Amino acid sequence: MQAVLDVLMADPSREVWPYYVDQHASARGDSYQVLKRLHEAGWLTVRHETGRPNARVLYKLSAAGKALAREAVERPVKWPGSVKRRRPATGTVPDE
């Protein structure tokens, strides 16, 4: 999550898509899932491209997300409390 926030905070007004994040993040992973969860928690806005054969889903920091992300990039963060993990860590029980 920290790597995704770093990419988003590099230019908070930029709309990004998962492949862009994967290419620019210091740690590679499943950025689509991270972006989706941040959107569900209210940190991001989403816009669906139209008029393109391979239309992308674009994510951008919301006003609240900018404030939260500024604080989060200054220290290691855990998932926001309102975001439930979809996949449990190895050897743990899901928290759902």
Side-chain angles (χ1 to χ4, degrees):
M1 182 165 141
Q2 191 72 42
V4 172
L5 289 175
D6 289 339
V7 172
L8 290 165
M9 287 302 294
D11 184 357
S13 62
R14 180 184 184 105
E15 291 181 312
V16 299
W17 54 99
Y19 181 75
Y20 176 89
V21 174
D22 284 342
Q23 296 304 306
H24 292 86
S26 59
R28 299 276 160 78
D30 193 357
S31 63
Y32 170 76
Q33 290 298 322
V34 174
L35 291 167
K36 183 177 173 185
R37 290 178 188 142
L38 287 171
H39 174 254
E40 290 171 354
W43 289 44
L44 304 176
T45 61
V46 67
R47 181 174 71 86
H48 296 267
E49 278 187 327
T50 58
R52 291 179 50 150
N54 295 326
R56 299 176 291 196
V57 177
L58 302 170
Y59 297 89
K60 185 170 123 176
L61 284 167
S62 65
K66 286 179 188 177
L68 292 166
R70 262 189 232 105
E71 180 183 333
V73 294
E74 294 174 3
R75 61 181 168 71
V77 296
K78 294 181 181 178
W79 283 97
S82 60
V83 177
K84 292 185 179 184
R85 288 186 178 264
R86 302 283 189 241
R87 288 184 264 159
T90 305
T92 63
V93 178
D95 59 349
E96 296 184 14

